[in-house]
Structures are given as structure tokens and as C-alpha cells.
């Protein structure tokens, strides 16, 4: 059916343009209606029906499906026929919106798509994150795709197979497209995934045999200079589509003289997984988490319903979407967030490496910076730092030390105690310090574009609480664990910030409570030999997750990890990602998604299902199946032994 006709079938009413509360974007007004479903031939109506629109038995009989142990895959007899997929395509806002997956590196392998020149071009561009973000099925942590189709000089997979990529993608251009995708997957027993940019660290935006909803094209942005919300807020706000990325949002905010709380990464999908998972920001030590500033979401729930969640409507869902994680409670089509008056920023960056000064001085200098974590974060700054071993050389890289609202003079004085320490150690120090007029040029000037992850990297992370840094004993213990991790060959990327207070925000949400007491979010990267045997890889992963990272957990009892930048094998993830908020999140999930339409690894309510990967490694290359005969749902108490710090 043509999109034109759908605009006539609109179920929604528009608020007057002057009211300065969120109105729907044009693409959100193109919706699937019950009337339209009922107007279709019966078999098709069952295929696209909302949950509960018809009797359950009728839907199951019509699509000839009963709930099975695993979601149906392309090899199953009950996988939709070509004709079924064509029917889906025909209902979408454009038939071209349905894409059958062809992995982009298929040009590098024998077959009908082989193309040497294209393969060379792709290989050259492989580490460029845009190559993957702008592709319908790629993800930025390729290890979780299963490495089944990578350019041979990057990783030779022998042949190109679809592996953990979805089978089909809906390149969504309207709410209608997303509603149809959800209903089709639910009614047909298919696995559903959501991909926005593919940044997720654990592979949550891919999945074998799935229908993927790609939200990347939902780019609308609307500025309000005086948005009035039922919760009492009145002031500037921005509503942005689910596909809007940091570089686009920051530019739009800057065009209106405001700034918003969003990520450091240039290409992160701010209104997708980022804000749904909480979202840390260069402004976090002043404003808390990005999710603290959400005014409302437009969202399509697992039943296929388009709805609004804000402080006065669907309050439980509103609470859960602010930190409860992506791909769990529905697919978000846009988010409205508070905006703040722009402020000047000063940033500093520097590198210290051990080759010129020796290891002892290097570690003493690193320790001197760690001793400043609390004061620096409490002064509103955000530091992005890397400690990376390279052979016998270790580098300590600050890129950048970001000080919103401060002048170069203030930054020099804040760095003063660190400088004195380095001078006493006789370590040369000449940071590059730059004053910027506003947030946008500072962010543009200071945060580099991050590349596609290496095929052999797995990561894990931990939130280190303020209490670890309060006493010299605590700092000694914490520092020694970090130093041991690096000396054992892992690199660390870490963020020193204190998202304790949501200045001007509302922290009554699902954000991991561990964030509020933390001073350091540290990520360790572990290099694996992707070509070694399954058992060798599993044992390397065990020593990382249960060895290296267990040491981090042991010295941070009761704290947690950031779900958006976490180990896929995170133990006790319910407590780790949500602490005492898990029980409420789980009850909201169960109420909203009785059929587990939305599933992602380690997402709220994901306990009942697992990916049975074909090679036994933790990745998306296998069917999503019910966990055999186990009780599923209770959140466990922390298992790590408390250690005094
Ligand atoms: C280079 C880089 C820089 C980063 N910088 C930061 C940073 O500064 N601060 C920070 O907090 N994090 C940062 N992250 C982590 C980032 O927040 C997560 O990777 C996040 O999941 C990205 O969301 P996305 O929508 O862009 O990615 P995707 O991988 O596409 O999606 C992530 C998850 O959210 C789900 N999802 C996506 N869109 C929707 C939607 N519309 N509705 C429902 N579910 C959805 C997906 O299914 C998936 O489960 C960074 C990651 C990378 C790789
Ligand atoms: C490589 O990436 C750049 C930057 O995104 C792009 O402009 C260029 O077209 C790409 N080249 C190829 C051959 O894909
Ligand atoms: C909150 O959602 C309700 C229901 O859609 C809507 O009527 C109301 O205007 C929304 N509030 C704002 C401030 O947009
Ligand atoms: C800012 O840093 C200074 C200098 O280290 C310190 O004395 C002060 O307590 C910090 N400010 C706050 C608000 O913590
Ligand atoms: C490691 O050091 C070598 C030699 O100095 C250099 O060529 C290489 O680029 C470095 N690697 C990284 C990842 O920094
Ligand atoms: C050590 O690392 C630094 C920064 O990464 C680099 O400039 C330097 O050349 C390296 N030294 C050696 C000996 O590899
Ligand atoms: C901390 O470590 C240093 C260096 O090893 C040591 O000299 C100091 O006594 C330790 N302090 C405490 C309180 O343990
Ligand atoms: C870590 O240990 C736990 C408990 O023994 C185990 O269940 C888990 O599988 C281990 N994780 C890894 C990655 O081996
Ligand atoms: C679950 O049981 C089925 C058979 O009923 C079996 O094929 C499958 O491998 C089992 N999966 C797991 C994870 O044990």
C-alpha cells in the first residue's frame, strides 16, 4: 500500500505548534493501524496483526506456527517463504526498505558478488568506523558477529557466510516500518534485533537468522526554545530521531546556542542504545548521565503499539527506558532531551611514555594522576585516558582532559598539584592546553574518530567507586590492580568522571546506581588469537573474565559495570548493570513483552534464552533458543567477596 494512503489512516492527533511540547515527526505520523490490518486478506492480516488484535490461536494457525524452542532460521521449513517476505516488503513505506543481507566483504570471496577492486577498497576502509555504521548489518565489535565474512587480509574466514548477521533488514523510514517488522517477527516466530549504528560492545545489534530493524535513517531534529513539561521543566529542549548521531546532535544544538548531554564518541547513536543504556558524557561531572535529562520518548512496544512515554504518560516505561538498556522494552523512534546554555570549555592533552623515563618513574607519574581523580572530577572535569603497553614501552595518553566552564588559568591551577609531582619526579610535562568558546568546537577539536575494533579484541569494564580513592591504602590497592593489568599486557581505556549529581536533571530512573558513586569507568581490552582453537579462546576468555576482571571486582565490592561498554561474559550481570533496580526493570519487561519479542544478550529479562552458537564461542552466530529446563528470572546477589578498601 502506498505511504500516501497511510497518512489518511492516521490515528494520532497533533498538538498545536505553539504549545512547545513534543509533536510527532512526519515519519512518526506514518503508522500502522488496526483498521488497515483488518482490511487485508485474512492470511496477511494474521501476519501483520498487533499483539492481541486477533485470537492467539487464529494467528498461530494462519501462519502455521506454534511457539518453538528456537526462533525459526532460514534453514527451517517454517521460515517465511519468498512470497511472505515480498508481502512484508509491499506493506513497508517503500518496498526497497526490505534488504536481504549480503555481507559487504562478500566481494572478497568467490561467488557471484566477487569483485577484486571493491574488495581492495573495502579492505583499505575496513578500520574506518563509517564503513560499518553506514552498512545495514555490520557491527563495530566484529568478534561477536562470528568473523564469518571479513576481508581476507584482515582476517581470513576461508569463505563468506552470513554467520551472525541478520537474514533481512528493514531500513526504517517510518513508525509503520518498525511496527510491521515487530508484528511480522512476533507472529512468525522470528528473531528480532535492532541496529542503529552497531556500536554495542557485546554484539547486541546483530543476530543470526534475525529480522533487523535499522533505525539509522531516522535523522529528524527539532529545537524548542521553551519546552514546557508536566514535570515542571520549562526551557530549551531538543527532540531527535533514533538515528541521530553525536556529531549531528551537537551541531544542531550549537546552531541554537545550546548544548546537550551526549557522548564523547563522534558517531555514537545518541538516541538509541546510548541514552537507553544511561550514557556518559564529557559533561557528566556537571550534569550526570544523559538519561537524567530525557523529557520523553516516542516508542513502539513489543505489541506493535506506537506510544509516548514521559513524566505523565506510561511512567513505568519512561522510568525503564532511561537506563534500562536497548532492545528490551520496544524500539524508540525519537527522544526529547533538555538543552542547556552553552559554556566555554578548556581542554588539555598529553602523552607520557615509559621508554624515555623508565618504568618506575612512569608508574609514579601515572599514580600521581590517579591521586587527582577525585578533585579533578569534583571540579567538573572528564578525562579520557589510555594506558597502553606496546612491547617494553607503556604509554599514558590523556586525550583529552576536558574542563567545561573553565578557563586555561583554572585548568593550569587544577593541574598544579600533578605538575608539581611530575616536576619532583623529574618527568617532563608539556600539555597542550586549548581554550574554546563553546562546547561544540571543544568536542570537535578534542575527541578523535574511533576506529572499528580489531577482530581479536574482547573487552570488559568496571565502575570504580569514590571510596577506592579516599585513603592512601585504597589508592594503593586500586593503583596496583591497574598496574598489574597493564603489566600483564592488557590495555586500559578509562574515563575519570563523577556523574553523581544530575544538575538540572532527574536521576529517578533506571541508570545503574553504581554510576552515582563512581569516579572511574575503566575498560580493559584483551587480545585473543582469533585463529586459535575454540578451547584455547574460551580459556583465554576465562582468564580475562574470571581472572583479570575478577581482581577488579574484588576491590570494588557491590559496584557494577556499564552495560553499554561491558564484557559479553559479565558474570552476575543483573546486579552488575542495574543493582537494586533490576527487580523493577524485570517486572516492567515481563508485563510489556510476554512473548520475549525483544531479546539481546544480558538485557533485562534475557535469562530464558541463549544463542546456541555454531562454534561454541560467545557470539551471535547461531540460533536463539530457550535455555533448556532452567528457571529463568531471579536476580542474584553479588558473588564477589567484599574486600576492605
Ligand atoms: C567508538 C565508541 C565511542 C563510544 N562513546 C561513548 C560515550 O562517549 N559515552 C557512552 O556512554 N557510551 C559510549 N559508547 C558506547 C555506546 O553508548 C554503546 O555502544 C551504545 O550501545 C551505542 O548505541 P547505538 O544505538 O549507537 O548502537 P547499536 O549497537 O546500534 O545499539 C546498541 C543497543 O541498543 C539497541 N538499540 C539501538 N537503537 C535502538 C532503538 N531506537 N530502540 C531500542 N533499542 C535500540 C540495539 O538493539 C543494541 O542492543 C561508545 C562506543 C563506541 C564503539
Ligand atoms: C572510504 O571511506 C571514506 C570516508 O568515509 C569515503 O569517503 C570513501 O568513499 C570510502 N572509500 C571506499 C572505496 O569505499
Ligand atoms: C506526554 O505524553 C502525553 C501522551 O502522549 C502527551 O499528551 C503530553 O503532551 C506529553 N507531554 C509533553 C510535555 O509533551
Ligand atoms: C577542586 O580542586 C581543588 C584543588 O585540588 C580542591 O581543593 C577542591 O576541593 C576541588 N573542588 C571541589 C568542588 O571538589
Ligand atoms: C608500538 O611500537 C612500535 C615501535 O615503536 C611502533 O612502530 C608501533 O606503531 C607501536 N604500536 C602501537 C599500537 O602503538
Ligand atoms: C613509546 O611510545 C611512545 C608513544 O606511544 C612513542 O612515541 C615512542 O616512540 C615509543 N618508544 C619506543 C621505544 O617504542
Ligand atoms: C602505599 O604504597 C607506597 C608505595 O608502595 C608505600 O610507600 C606506602 O606506605 C603505602 N601506603 C599505605 C597506607 O599502605
Ligand atoms: C567464570 O566463573 C563462573 C563461575 O565459576 C562460570 O560460571 C563462568 O562460566 C566463568 N566465565 C568464563 C568466561 O569462563
Ligand atoms: C537443549 O536441548 C536440545 C534438545 O532438546 C539440544 O539439541 C540442545 O543442544 C540443548 N541446548 C543446550 C544449550 O543445552
Amino acid at each position: 500500500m502506498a505511504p500516501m494512503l497511510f497518512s489518511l489512516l492516521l490515528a494520532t492527533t497533533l498538538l498545536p505548534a505553539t504549545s512547545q511540547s513534543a509533536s510527532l515527526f512526519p515519519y512518526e505520523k506514518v503508522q500502522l493501524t488496526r483498521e488497515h490490518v483488518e482490511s487485508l486478506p485474512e492470511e496477511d492480516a494474521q501476519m501483520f496483526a498487533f499483539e492481541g488484535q486477533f485470537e492467539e490461536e487464529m494467528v498461530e494457525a494462519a501462519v502455521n506456527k506454534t511457539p518453538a524452542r528456537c526462533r525459526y532460521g532460514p534453514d527451517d521449513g517454517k521460515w517465511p517463504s519468498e512470497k511472505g517476505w515480498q508481502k512484508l516488503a509491499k506493506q513497508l513505506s517503500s518496498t526497497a526498505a526490505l534488504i536481504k543481507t549480503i555481507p559487504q566483504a562478500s566481494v572478497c570471496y568467490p561467488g557471484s558478488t566477487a569483485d577484486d577492486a571493491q574488495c581492495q577498497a573495502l579492505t583499505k576502509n575496513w578500520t574506518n568506523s563509517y564503513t560499518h555504521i553506514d552498512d545495514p548489518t555490520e557491527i563495530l565489535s566484529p568478534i561477536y558477529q562470528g568473523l564469518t565474512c571479513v576481508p581476507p587480509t584482515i582476517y581470513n574466514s576461508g569463505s563468506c557466510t552470513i554467520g551472525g548477521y541478520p537474514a533481512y533488514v528493514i531500513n526504517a523510514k517510518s513508525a509503520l516500518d518498525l511496527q510491521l517488522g515487530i508484528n511480522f517477527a512476533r507472529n512468525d516466530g522470528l528473531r528480532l534485533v535492532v541496529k542503529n549504528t552497531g556500536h554495542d560492545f557485546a554484539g547486541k545489534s546483530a543476530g543470526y537468522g534475525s529480522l533487523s530493524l535499522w533505525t539509522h535513517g531516522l535523522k529528524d531534529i527539532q529545537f524548542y526554545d521553551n519546552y514546557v513539561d508536566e514535570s515542571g521543566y520549562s526551557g530549551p529542549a531538543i527532540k531527535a530521531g533514533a538515528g541521530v548521531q553525536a556529531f549531528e546532535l551537537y551541531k544542531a544544538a550549537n546552531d541554537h546556542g545550546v548544548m546537550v548531554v551526549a557522548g564523547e564518541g563522534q558517531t555514537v547513536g545518541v538516541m538509541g542504545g546510548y541514552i537507553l543504556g544511561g550514557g556518559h558524557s564529557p559533561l557528566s561531572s556537571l550534569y550526570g548521565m544523559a538519561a537524567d535529562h530525557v523529557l520523553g520518548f516516542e516508542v513502539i512496544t513489543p505489541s506493535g503499539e506506537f506510544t509516548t512515554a514521559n513524566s505523565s504518560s506510561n511512567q513505568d516505561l519512561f522510568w525503564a527506558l532511561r537506563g534500562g538498556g536497548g532492545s528490551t522494552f520496544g524500539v524508540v523512534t525519537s527522544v526529547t532531551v533538555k538543552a542547556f546554555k552553552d559554556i566555554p570549555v578548556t581542554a588539555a592533552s598529553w602523552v607520557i611514555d615509559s621508554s624515555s623515563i623508565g618504568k618506575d618513574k612512569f608508574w609514579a607519574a601515572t599514580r600521581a594522576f590517579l591521586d587527582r581523580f577525585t578533585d579533578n572530577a569534583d571540579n567538573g572535569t572528564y578525562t579520557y585516558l589510555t594506558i597502553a603497553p606496546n612491547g617494553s614501552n607503556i604509554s599514558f595518553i590523556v586525550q583529552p582532559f576536558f574542563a567545561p566552564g573553565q578557563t586555561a588559568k583554572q585548568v593550569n591551577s587544577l593541574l598544579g598539584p600533578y605538575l608539581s609531582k611530575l616536576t619532583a619526579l623529574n618527568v617532563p610535562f608539556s600539555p597542550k592546553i586549548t581554550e574554546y568558546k563553546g562546547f561544540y568546537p571543544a568536542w570537535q577539536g578534542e575527541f578523535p574518530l574511533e576506529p572499528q575494533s580489531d577482530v581479536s579484541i574482547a573487552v570488559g569494564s568496571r565502575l570504580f567507586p569514590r571510596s577506592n580513592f579516599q585513603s592512601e591504602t585504597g589508592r594503593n590497592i586500586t593503583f596496583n590492580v591497574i598496574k598489574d593489568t597493564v603489566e600483564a599486557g592488557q590495555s586500559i581505556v578509562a574515563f575519570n568522571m563523577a556523574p553523581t549529581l544530575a544538575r538540572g536533571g532527574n536521576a529517578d530512573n533506571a541508570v545503574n546506581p553504581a554510576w552515582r558513586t563512581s569516579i572511574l569507568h575503566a575498560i580493559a581490552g584483551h587480545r585473543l588469537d582469533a585463529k586459535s582453537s575454540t578451547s584455547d579462546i574460551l580459556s583465554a576468555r576465562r582468564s580475562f573474565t574470571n581472572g583479570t576482571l575478577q581482581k577488579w571486582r574484588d576491590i570494588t565490592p557491590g559496584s557494577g559495570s556499564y552495560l553499554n561498554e561491558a564484557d559479553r561474559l559479565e558474570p552476575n550481570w543483573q546486579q552488575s548493570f542495574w543493582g537494586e533496580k533490576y527487580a523493577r526493570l524485570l517486572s516492567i519487561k515481563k508485563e510489556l513483552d510476554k512473548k520475549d519479542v525483544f531479546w539481546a544478550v544480558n538485557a533485562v529479562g534475557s535469562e530464558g534464552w541463549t544463542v546456541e552458537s555454531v562454534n561454541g564461542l560467545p557470539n551471535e552466530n547461531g540460533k536463539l533458543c530457550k535455555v533448556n529446563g532452567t528457571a529463568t528470572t531471579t536476580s542474584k546477589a553479588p558473588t564477589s567477596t567484599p574486600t576492605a578498601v
Side-chain angles (χ1 to χ4, degrees):
M1 181 170 299
M4 269 303 284
L5 203 41
F6 278 106
S7 36
L8 300 174
L9 295 174
L10 281 188
T12 48
T13 48
L14 258 184
L15 295 160
T18 51
S19 83
Q20 294 252 306
S21 57
S23 54
L24 299 183
F25 286 138
Y27 71 77
E28 293 174 321
K29 294 183 204 159
V30 182
Q31 294 183 10
L32 181 69
T33 64
R34 286 181 151 67
E35 293 73 17
H36 174 67
V37 171
E38 279 156 26
S39 76
L40 297 171
E42 187 175 334
E43 189 192 335
D44 299 11
Q46 307 294 355
M47 216 181 250
F48 301 116
F50 290 84
E51 187 173 358
Q53 186 176 1
F54 303 118
E55 284 194 25
E56 202 84 339
E57 300 73 44
M58 280 172 65
V59 177
E60 281 169 12
V63 293
N64 189 24
K65 307 277 160 65
T66 43
R69 195 181 73 85
C70 301
R71 298 292 190 217
Y72 295 114
D75 295 335
D76 291 313
K78 292 192 174 179
W79 180 253
S81 63
E82 270 309 311
K83 206 172 132 219
W85 289 107
Q86 278 165 24
K87 283 183 176 177
L88 171 61
K90 253 182 72 190
Q91 293 296 325
L92 299 173
S93 49
S94 131
T95 50
L98 188 69
I99 301 168
K100 190 169 185 176
T101 300
I102 301 172
Q104 59 178 346
S106 67
V107 294
C108 298
Y109 291 90
S112 60
T113 50
D115 185 323
D116 211 38
Q118 278 190 42
C119 176
Q120 280 178 34
L122 176 67
T123 304
K124 243 205 249 150
N125 261 5
W126 185 258
T127 57
N128 181 334
S129 42
Y130 284 100
T131 302
H132 308 280
I133 292 163
D134 295 338
D135 179 88
T137 67
E138 293 282 2
I139 55 174
L140 288 184
S141 292
I143 191 172
Y144 294 120
Q145 186 276 332
L147 303 175
T148 64
C149 191
V150 179
T153 56
I154 308 279
Y155 176 88
N156 194 337
S157 37
S159 62
C160 171
T161 62
I162 203 160
Y165 293 119
Y168 283 89
V169 177
I170 293 179
N171 182 7
K173 294 292 193 247
S174 64
L176 166 77
D177 293 341
L178 297 166
Q179 291 174 294
L180 285 165
I182 291 170
N183 291 352
F184 185 78
R186 186 190 55 250
N187 297 339
D188 251 13
L190 307 182
R191 180 169 178 198
L192 185 75
V193 306
V194 182
K195 177 190 164 175
N196 187 25
T197 63
H199 276 67
D200 186 77
F201 278 43
K204 286 190 280 195
S205 28
Y208 163 81
S210 62
L211 171 59
S212 173
L213 305 178
W214 193 26
T215 55
H216 187 53
L218 305 177
K219 294 281 192 188
D220 293 27
I221 297 179
Q222 170 75 50
F223 174 73
Y224 302 92
D225 56 18
N226 189 30
Y227 186 94
V228 179
D229 180 74
E230 287 84 349
S231 67
Y233 178 74
S234 101
I238 292 184
K239 171 171 160 136
V244 170
Q245 291 168 268
F247 68 94
E248 296 160 327
L249 183 65
Y250 285 145
K251 178 174 188 310
N254 186 63
D255 288 346
H256 293 281
V258 294
M259 58 181 195
V260 285
V261 182
E264 56 80 18
Q266 293 180 24
T267 53
V268 167
V270 180
M271 300 313 185
Y274 168 85
I275 209 158
L276 297 170
H280 67 79
S281 166
L283 297 170
S284 279
S285 296
L286 293 177
Y287 291 92
M289 303 295 284
D292 299 343
H293 301 285
V294 174
L295 292 160
F297 298 90
E298 313 296 350
V299 54
I300 301 164
T301 63
S303 67
E305 219 71 58
F306 183 92
T307 190
T308 298
N310 62 26
S311 64
S312 58
S313 178
N314 294 306
Q315 286 144 334
D316 275 349
L317 178 57
F318 182 52
W319 181 83
L321 288 172
R322 288 173 295 147
S327 197
T328 305
F329 305 100
V331 60
V332 163
T333 62
S334 70
V335 187
T336 306
V337 296
K338 291 177 186 171
F340 300 94
K341 193 174 168 296
D342 196 15
I343 51 176
V345 173
T346 297
S349 56
W350 65 92
V351 178
I352 294 175
D353 75 85
S354 66
S355 62
S356 50
I357 55 173
K359 287 261 168 76
D360 289 349
K361 274 192 191 175
F362 173 84
W363 283 119
T366 301
R367 170 61 189 266
F369 194 68
L370 179 141
D371 287 342
R372 298 291 303 150
F373 277 175
T374 307
D375 271 358
N376 285 347
D378 286 346
N379 275 273
T381 67
Y382 174 91
T383 306
Y384 183 171
L385 64 105
T386 304
I387 313 176
N390 180 6
S392 60
N393 190 10
I394 310 176
S395 308
F396 174 85
I397 303 162
V398 168
Q399 187 181 39
F401 175 89
F402 196 84
Q406 298 193 30
T407 60
K409 196 165 166 241
Q410 286 169 302
V411 163
N412 272 311
S413 120
L414 193 55
L415 291 175
Y418 173 58
L419 173 61
S420 310
K421 197 69 186 281
L422 295 183
T423 307
L425 288 166
N426 199 18
V427 170
F429 182 61
S430 50
K432 175 172 162 279
I433 297 184
T434 314
E435 276 187 340
Y436 296 92
K437 281 204 178 69
F439 176 83
Y440 182 57
W443 172 81
Q444 275 189 310
E446 297 290 330
F447 293 99
L449 176 66
E450 291 147 302
Q452 162 80 335
S453 291
D454 194 282
V455 291
S456 57
I457 294 284
V459 300
S461 70
R462 192 71 181 164
L463 296 167
F464 288 76
R466 180 179 288 272
S467 54
N468 276 49
F469 301 88
Q470 258 156 7
S471 67
E472 184 174 301
T473 309
R475 289 193 296 274
N476 275 5
I477 291 170
T478 307
F479 172 71
N480 287 332
V481 165
I482 288 173
K483 181 181 167 200
D484 290 348
T485 304
V486 175
E487 297 224 301
Q490 347 257 1
S491 43
I492 293 180
V493 170
F495 300 86
N496 169 212
M497 74 184 102
T500 317
L501 291 171
R503 182 192 286 185
N506 174 11
D508 178 11
N509 56 30
V511 168
N512 191 344
W515 270 115
R516 308 301 177 181
T517 50
S518 82
I519 280 286
L520 179 70
H521 162 44
I523 305 170
H526 182 66
R527 188 167 286 280
L528 304 158
D529 177 0
K531 280 286 182 199
S532 66
S533 68
T534 295
S535 66
D536 285 355
I537 293 175
L538 286 175
S539 98
R541 293 214 58 148
R542 185 163 310 118
S543 82
F544 179 57
T545 299
N546 281 349
T548 308
L549 293 173
Q550 186 57 43
K551 291 185 187 132
W552 290 24
R553 291 191 289 274
D554 286 344
I555 62 160
T556 55
S559 187
S561 168
Y562 178 34
L563 71 107
N564 272 349
E565 298 182 314
D567 187 353
R568 186 174 168 118
L569 301 178
E570 180 74 15
N572 198 11
W573 50 266
Q574 296 90 337
Q575 186 282 329
S576 187
F577 296 160
W578 293 287
E580 79 264 7
K581 294 179 179 173
Y582 192 71
R584 181 174 172 196
L585 283 165
L586 186 59
S587 78
I588 295 170
K589 167 74 176 176
K590 284 183 159 174
E591 181 63 34
L592 208 64
D593 192 7
K594 297 197 171 62
K595 296 190 164 179
D596 293 337
V597 178
F598 286 86
W599 186 92
V601 69
N602 302 346
V604 170
S606 62
E607 294 88 345
W609 298 79
T610 185
V611 176
E612 295 182 356
S613 81
V614 296
N615 58 5
L617 290 174
N619 63 42
E620 291 296 337
N621 183 12
K623 280 191 176 179
L624 179 64
C625 299
K626 282 193 179 132
V627 173
N628 287 349
T630 41
T632 56
T633 48
T634 44
S635 111
K636 290 168 239 153
T639 51
S640 61
T641 327
T643 308
V645 163

